[in-house]
Amino acid sequence: DAGVIQSPRHEVTEMGQEVTLRCKPISGHDYLFWYRQTMMRGLELLIYFNNNVPIDDSGMPEDRFSAKMPNASFSTLKIQPSEPRDSAVYFCASSPDLDGYTFGSGTRLTVV
Amino acid sequence: GENVEQHPSTLSVQEGDSAVIKCTYSDSASNYFPWYKQELGKRPQLIIDIRSNVGEKKDQRIAVTLNKTAKHFSLHITETQPEDSAVYFCAASVNYGQNFVFGPGTRLSVLP
């Protein structure tokens, strides 16, 4: 298994632009999580899905952020419009339930 | 909601010495406590975990202890090596593999 696959690895965009981050979880994992990591706030849970259904999105900062999981093998996190304070590393993780997460390699987002 | 604190924030030890990182949690319903290691620029990786029905778990040089009464758990690394240098995150979950709350991290430096 290739693990959790995220794309792109790096993204530099201008303020106000739309940004879409992508994630392919490990096959058979029922849970998918989106985390944001910054020096100031550490690892923050943004949203998680169970069997493609969003369960808890209370961590999504504001309406500019949205996430979808149209099927078991793909999820997106979209920021529209992006702002400099959104600059962070965004991790996707998946788990088979009753076990620890496997994280993807992350997307380093820089909004200038 | 759950709150996880972690101490110390930085830790330096000599190669061969032991390192101990402590975490406390607030939600007595938490039942799963994983530890992640994150090397610079890489993804967090699960190194050990413990469930609430167990007081201690060991895997080679790494061990985790759990005190449910006091609501704290600790990571113990013995015979430290330079490759143990990384940021270590503890986490707690009320529902095993779901919705972890992470501690702020401990930066461990093992000095040769």
Side-chain angles (χ1 to χ4, degrees):
Chain A
D1 197 322
V4 177
I5 300 172
Q6 289 186 247
S7 64
R9 290 296 305 276
H10 303 275
E11 177 78 35
V12 180
T13 191
E14 291 185 347
M15 182 175 63
Q17 296 297 307
E18 177 180 296
V19 176
T20 300
L21 311 181
R22 298 173 176 80
C23 176
K24 176 177 168 43
I26 293 173
S27 177
H29 282 193
D30 295 331
Y31 290 85
L32 183 139
F33 308 83
W34 282 101
Y35 276 84
R36 177 172 67 178
Q37 186 175 36
T38 61
M39 288 294 293
M40 290 298 295
R41 301 175 69 90
L43 278 162
E44 300 176 276
L45 177 66
L46 301 177
I47 185 171
Y48 79 97
F49 296 84
N50 177 216
N51 292 323
N52 314 337
V53 176
I55 301 301
D56 183 356
D57 66 354
S58 59
M60 297 285 262
E62 48 201 89
D63 293 344
R64 297 185 298 106
F65 285 68
S66 62
K68 294 182 179 180
M69 192 166 186
N71 57 62
S73 60
F74 184 66
S75 177
T76 59
L77 177 67
K78 186 176 293 186
I79 308 172
Q80 166 63 18
S82 57
E83 297 182 2
R85 60 193 168 118
D86 301 330
S87 298
V89 179
Y90 290 80
F91 284 104
C92 175
S94 69
S95 79
D97 196 11
L98 306 183
D99 211 339
Y101 299 169
T102 299
F103 282 87
S105 297
T107 295
R108 182 173 296 278
L109 173 65
T110 303
V111 183
V112 298
Chain B
E2 176 69 281
N3 181 50
V4 178
E5 296 184 354
Q6 187 171 346
H7 300 279
S9 57
T10 60
L11 178 61
S12 293
V13 299
Q14 290 294 133
E15 182 177 357
D17 288 350
S18 296
V20 180
I21 302 170
K22 299 179 180 180
C23 287
T24 60
Y25 60 98
S26 60
D27 191 339
S28 56
S30 290
N31 54 23
Y32 180 68
F33 308 91
W35 285 89
Y36 283 81
K37 174 183 179 182
Q38 187 177 26
E39 297 176 9
L40 187 63
K42 297 189 176 180
R43 76 189 78 185
Q45 291 191 297
L46 179 69
I47 56 172
I48 195 167
D49 58 10
I50 192 167
R51 302 179 191 276
S52 58
N53 59 345
V54 175
E56 183 175 358
K57 183 176 179 180
K58 190 173 182 180
D59 182 4
Q60 299 183 334
R61 297 186 297 108
I62 294 174
V64 57
T65 58
L66 171 65
N67 184 327
K68 288 180 60 180
T69 302
K71 289 191 285 187
H72 68 69
F73 55 111
S74 299
L75 177 71
H76 305 254
I77 306 173
T78 59
E79 302 172 22
T80 54
Q81 302 167 2
E83 51 265 39
D84 295 328
S85 296
V87 178
Y88 290 81
F89 293 94
C90 63
S93 171
V94 174
N95 288 307
Y96 290 110
Q98 300 178 39
N99 195 6
F100 296 169
V101 175
F102 283 88
T106 296
R107 182 173 299 279
L108 172 65
S109 298
V110 180
L111 308 174

